[in-house]
Short mmCIF file of all heavy atoms in Angstrom, two decimals:
data_model
loop_
_atom_site.label_atom_id
_atom_site.label_comp_id
_atom_site.label_asym_id
_atom_site.label_seq_id
_atom_site.Cartn_x
_atom_site.Cartn_y
_atom_site.Cartn_z
N GLU A 263 78.69 77.90 128.23
CA GLU A 263 77.46 77.47 128.92
C GLU A 263 76.56 78.63 129.18
O GLU A 263 75.35 78.43 129.17
CB GLU A 263 77.92 76.80 130.26
CG GLU A 263 78.50 75.44 129.91
CD GLU A 263 79.46 74.80 131.00
OE1 GLU A 263 79.48 75.37 132.13
OE2 GLU A 263 80.07 73.75 130.71
N ILE A 264 77.03 79.83 129.29
CA ILE A 264 76.16 81.03 129.39
C ILE A 264 75.45 81.16 128.14
O ILE A 264 74.20 81.39 127.97
CB ILE A 264 76.98 82.21 129.75
CG1 ILE A 264 77.58 82.20 131.14
CG2 ILE A 264 76.11 83.48 129.62
CD1 ILE A 264 78.59 83.29 131.54
N MET A 265 76.22 81.11 127.00
CA MET A 265 75.61 81.40 125.73
C MET A 265 74.68 80.28 125.21
O MET A 265 73.84 80.57 124.33
CB MET A 265 76.78 81.65 124.64
CG MET A 265 77.62 82.86 124.94
SD MET A 265 76.74 84.39 125.26
CE MET A 265 76.11 84.75 123.58
N GLU A 266 74.77 79.07 125.70
CA GLU A 266 73.96 78.02 125.27
C GLU A 266 72.59 77.95 126.03
O GLU A 266 71.81 76.98 125.83
CB GLU A 266 74.66 76.69 125.17
CG GLU A 266 74.93 76.02 126.40
CD GLU A 266 75.82 74.73 126.22
OE1 GLU A 266 76.41 74.50 125.12
OE2 GLU A 266 75.99 74.03 127.18
N GLN A 267 72.32 78.95 126.79
CA GLN A 267 71.08 78.88 127.64
C GLN A 267 69.75 78.88 126.85
O GLN A 267 68.82 78.26 127.23
CB GLN A 267 71.05 79.93 128.71
CG GLN A 267 72.07 79.61 129.76
CD GLN A 267 72.19 80.61 130.89
OE1 GLN A 267 71.55 80.52 131.94
NE2 GLN A 267 73.00 81.62 130.71
N PRO A 268 69.70 79.56 125.64
CA PRO A 268 68.46 79.40 124.87
C PRO A 268 68.18 77.96 124.59
O PRO A 268 67.06 77.45 124.71
CB PRO A 268 68.74 80.22 123.59
CG PRO A 268 69.86 81.19 123.96
CD PRO A 268 70.65 80.47 125.00
N LYS A 269 69.25 77.26 124.26
CA LYS A 269 69.10 75.83 123.86
C LYS A 269 68.90 74.94 125.10
O LYS A 269 67.97 74.08 125.16
CB LYS A 269 70.42 75.36 123.20
CG LYS A 269 70.35 73.99 122.58
CD LYS A 269 71.57 73.68 121.74
CE LYS A 269 72.18 72.37 122.13
NZ LYS A 269 73.41 72.37 122.84
N SER A 270 69.68 75.22 126.19
CA SER A 270 69.48 74.36 127.39
C SER A 270 68.09 74.54 127.98
O SER A 270 67.50 73.57 128.46
CB SER A 270 70.58 74.57 128.41
OG SER A 270 70.69 75.90 128.76
N LEU A 271 67.58 75.79 128.01
CA LEU A 271 66.29 75.95 128.63
C LEU A 271 65.20 75.29 127.65
O LEU A 271 64.20 74.75 128.16
CB LEU A 271 65.96 77.43 128.83
CG LEU A 271 64.63 77.66 129.54
CD1 LEU A 271 64.59 76.99 130.93
CD2 LEU A 271 64.34 79.13 129.77
N THR A 272 65.45 75.38 126.31
CA THR A 272 64.47 74.66 125.43
C THR A 272 64.42 73.19 125.85
O THR A 272 63.32 72.62 125.83
CB THR A 272 64.99 74.86 123.98
OG1 THR A 272 65.12 76.21 123.70
CG2 THR A 272 64.01 74.22 122.94
N GLU A 273 65.52 72.64 126.13
CA GLU A 273 65.55 71.22 126.48
C GLU A 273 64.75 70.98 127.82
O GLU A 273 64.06 70.03 127.96
CB GLU A 273 66.98 70.67 126.68
CG GLU A 273 67.75 70.59 125.34
CD GLU A 273 67.03 69.87 124.25
OE1 GLU A 273 66.43 68.80 124.56
OE2 GLU A 273 67.02 70.30 123.11
N THR A 274 64.90 71.96 128.72
CA THR A 274 64.15 71.84 129.97
C THR A 274 62.63 71.85 129.72
O THR A 274 61.89 71.16 130.39
CB THR A 274 64.53 73.01 130.89
OG1 THR A 274 65.93 73.04 131.02
CG2 THR A 274 63.93 72.80 132.37
N LEU A 275 62.22 72.72 128.80
CA LEU A 275 60.79 72.90 128.56
C LEU A 275 60.18 71.83 127.66
O LEU A 275 59.00 71.68 127.61
CB LEU A 275 60.54 74.27 127.96
CG LEU A 275 61.07 75.49 128.63
CD1 LEU A 275 60.58 76.76 127.98
CD2 LEU A 275 60.64 75.49 130.14
N ARG A 276 61.03 71.12 126.88
CA ARG A 276 60.56 70.25 125.81
C ARG A 276 59.47 69.27 126.33
O ARG A 276 59.64 68.58 127.27
CB ARG A 276 61.72 69.44 125.27
CG ARG A 276 61.35 68.67 123.97
CD ARG A 276 62.58 67.96 123.40
NE ARG A 276 63.64 68.89 122.98
CZ ARG A 276 63.59 69.65 121.92
NH1 ARG A 276 62.54 69.66 121.16
NH2 ARG A 276 64.62 70.48 121.64
N GLY A 277 58.32 69.38 125.66
CA GLY A 277 57.24 68.44 125.94
C GLY A 277 56.49 68.74 127.27
O GLY A 277 55.64 67.96 127.75
N ARG A 278 56.87 69.86 127.94
CA ARG A 278 56.37 70.06 129.27
C ARG A 278 55.32 71.21 129.32
O ARG A 278 54.72 71.43 130.27
CB ARG A 278 57.48 70.30 130.26
CG ARG A 278 58.30 69.05 130.48
CD ARG A 278 59.57 69.25 131.22
NE ARG A 278 60.23 68.01 131.66
CZ ARG A 278 61.42 67.86 132.09
NH1 ARG A 278 62.20 68.96 132.18
NH2 ARG A 278 61.95 66.71 132.39
N ILE A 279 55.31 72.02 128.19
CA ILE A 279 54.44 73.10 128.17
C ILE A 279 53.44 73.04 127.02
O ILE A 279 53.93 72.77 125.87
CB ILE A 279 55.24 74.50 128.12
CG1 ILE A 279 55.92 74.69 129.38
CG2 ILE A 279 54.28 75.63 127.64
CD1 ILE A 279 56.25 76.14 129.66
N ASN A 280 52.16 73.12 127.27
CA ASN A 280 51.21 73.08 126.17
C ASN A 280 50.79 74.56 125.98
O ASN A 280 50.05 75.13 126.71
CB ASN A 280 49.99 72.24 126.58
CG ASN A 280 49.01 72.11 125.46
OD1 ASN A 280 48.91 72.98 124.63
ND2 ASN A 280 48.34 70.95 125.44
N SER A 281 51.39 75.09 124.85
CA SER A 281 51.19 76.56 124.62
C SER A 281 49.74 76.78 124.14
O SER A 281 49.23 77.95 124.19
CB SER A 281 52.10 77.06 123.56
OG SER A 281 53.42 76.82 124.05
N LYS A 282 49.05 75.71 123.64
CA LYS A 282 47.72 75.97 123.08
C LYS A 282 46.71 76.12 124.25
O LYS A 282 45.98 77.12 124.30
CB LYS A 282 47.18 74.72 122.29
CG LYS A 282 47.70 74.83 120.82
CD LYS A 282 46.83 74.04 119.88
CE LYS A 282 47.48 73.91 118.51
NZ LYS A 282 47.89 72.51 118.25
N ASN A 283 46.74 75.22 125.19
CA ASN A 283 45.81 75.39 126.32
C ASN A 283 46.48 76.00 127.58
O ASN A 283 45.89 76.00 128.62
CB ASN A 283 44.98 74.11 126.55
CG ASN A 283 45.91 72.99 126.99
OD1 ASN A 283 47.09 73.21 127.27
ND2 ASN A 283 45.34 71.79 126.96
N HIS A 284 47.69 76.44 127.42
CA HIS A 284 48.40 77.18 128.52
C HIS A 284 48.41 76.36 129.74
O HIS A 284 48.05 76.83 130.85
CB HIS A 284 47.73 78.58 128.77
CG HIS A 284 47.49 79.33 127.51
ND1 HIS A 284 48.48 80.02 126.81
CD2 HIS A 284 46.39 79.41 126.72
CE1 HIS A 284 48.04 80.53 125.76
NE2 HIS A 284 46.65 80.18 125.61
N THR A 285 48.99 75.13 129.65
CA THR A 285 49.11 74.32 130.84
C THR A 285 50.54 73.75 130.82
O THR A 285 51.22 73.77 129.85
CB THR A 285 48.12 73.14 130.86
OG1 THR A 285 48.29 72.49 129.58
CG2 THR A 285 46.71 73.54 131.04
N VAL A 286 50.89 73.27 132.01
CA VAL A 286 52.17 72.62 132.21
C VAL A 286 52.00 71.18 132.56
O VAL A 286 51.06 70.86 133.33
CB VAL A 286 52.94 73.35 133.39
CG1 VAL A 286 54.18 72.59 133.75
CG2 VAL A 286 53.34 74.77 132.96
N HIS A 287 52.79 70.32 131.99
CA HIS A 287 52.70 68.87 132.37
C HIS A 287 54.07 68.29 132.59
O HIS A 287 54.96 68.39 131.76
CB HIS A 287 51.97 68.14 131.25
CG HIS A 287 51.96 66.63 131.49
ND1 HIS A 287 51.04 66.10 132.37
CD2 HIS A 287 52.69 65.60 131.12
CE1 HIS A 287 51.30 64.84 132.48
NE2 HIS A 287 52.25 64.52 131.67
N LEU A 288 54.29 67.85 133.82
CA LEU A 288 55.53 67.15 134.18
C LEU A 288 55.24 65.76 134.50
O LEU A 288 54.42 65.43 135.45
CB LEU A 288 56.12 67.86 135.44
CG LEU A 288 56.55 69.28 135.36
CD1 LEU A 288 57.15 69.74 136.68
CD2 LEU A 288 57.55 69.51 134.24
N GLY A 289 55.80 64.82 133.73
CA GLY A 289 55.56 63.42 133.97
C GLY A 289 56.37 62.80 135.13
O GLY A 289 55.89 61.94 135.91
N GLY A 290 57.65 63.24 135.19
CA GLY A 290 58.61 62.69 136.10
C GLY A 290 58.28 62.62 137.57
O GLY A 290 58.56 61.58 138.22
N PRO A 291 57.69 63.63 138.16
CA PRO A 291 57.42 63.58 139.61
C PRO A 291 56.47 62.38 139.98
O PRO A 291 56.54 61.91 141.10
CB PRO A 291 56.71 64.93 139.90
CG PRO A 291 57.30 65.82 138.90
CD PRO A 291 57.41 65.00 137.61
N GLY A 292 55.66 61.97 139.09
CA GLY A 292 54.83 60.78 139.32
C GLY A 292 53.79 61.01 140.43
O GLY A 292 53.42 60.07 141.06
N LEU A 293 53.35 62.26 140.63
CA LEU A 293 52.32 62.53 141.62
C LEU A 293 50.93 62.65 140.90
O LEU A 293 50.81 63.30 139.89
CB LEU A 293 52.61 63.89 142.34
CG LEU A 293 53.92 63.90 143.15
CD1 LEU A 293 54.21 65.33 143.60
CD2 LEU A 293 53.86 62.98 144.31
N SER A 294 49.92 62.02 141.55
CA SER A 294 48.59 62.12 140.96
C SER A 294 48.04 63.53 141.24
O SER A 294 48.50 64.23 142.12
CB SER A 294 47.76 61.09 141.63
OG SER A 294 47.54 61.37 142.97
N GLU A 295 46.98 63.84 140.63
CA GLU A 295 46.26 65.12 140.81
C GLU A 295 45.91 65.22 142.30
O GLU A 295 46.08 66.33 142.87
CB GLU A 295 44.99 65.16 139.98
CG GLU A 295 45.19 65.32 138.51
CD GLU A 295 45.70 66.64 138.10
OE1 GLU A 295 44.96 67.67 138.32
OE2 GLU A 295 46.82 66.77 137.50
N THR A 296 45.40 64.19 142.85
CA THR A 296 45.03 64.20 144.32
C THR A 296 46.25 64.54 145.17
O THR A 296 46.17 65.34 146.09
CB THR A 296 44.39 62.86 144.71
OG1 THR A 296 43.61 62.40 143.65
CG2 THR A 296 43.60 62.94 145.96
N GLU A 297 47.34 63.85 144.86
CA GLU A 297 48.58 64.05 145.65
C GLU A 297 49.00 65.53 145.52
O GLU A 297 49.39 66.15 146.50
CB GLU A 297 49.68 63.13 145.22
CG GLU A 297 49.42 61.70 145.75
CD GLU A 297 50.50 60.73 145.17
OE1 GLU A 297 50.66 60.69 143.94
OE2 GLU A 297 51.07 59.99 145.97
N LEU A 298 48.98 66.02 144.26
CA LEU A 298 49.42 67.43 144.05
C LEU A 298 48.53 68.35 144.86
O LEU A 298 48.96 69.35 145.38
CB LEU A 298 49.33 67.74 142.56
CG LEU A 298 50.42 67.15 141.67
CD1 LEU A 298 50.08 67.31 140.12
CD2 LEU A 298 51.77 67.87 141.86
#
Side-chain angles (χ1 to χ4, degrees):
E263 287 158 11
I264 293 172
M265 296 308 289
E266 73 189 10
Q267 289 177 92
K269 189 172 130 250
S270 55
L271 186 61
T272 302
E273 292 307 317
T274 310
L275 305 188
R276 192 177 296 289
R278 292 168 171 167
I279 288 202
N280 184 331
S281 302
K282 276 205 193 114
N283 59 14
H284 313 281
T285 53
V286 169
H287 176 75
L288 298 178
L293 297 171
S294 67
E295 291 287 300
T296 320
E297 285 173 309
L298 285 167

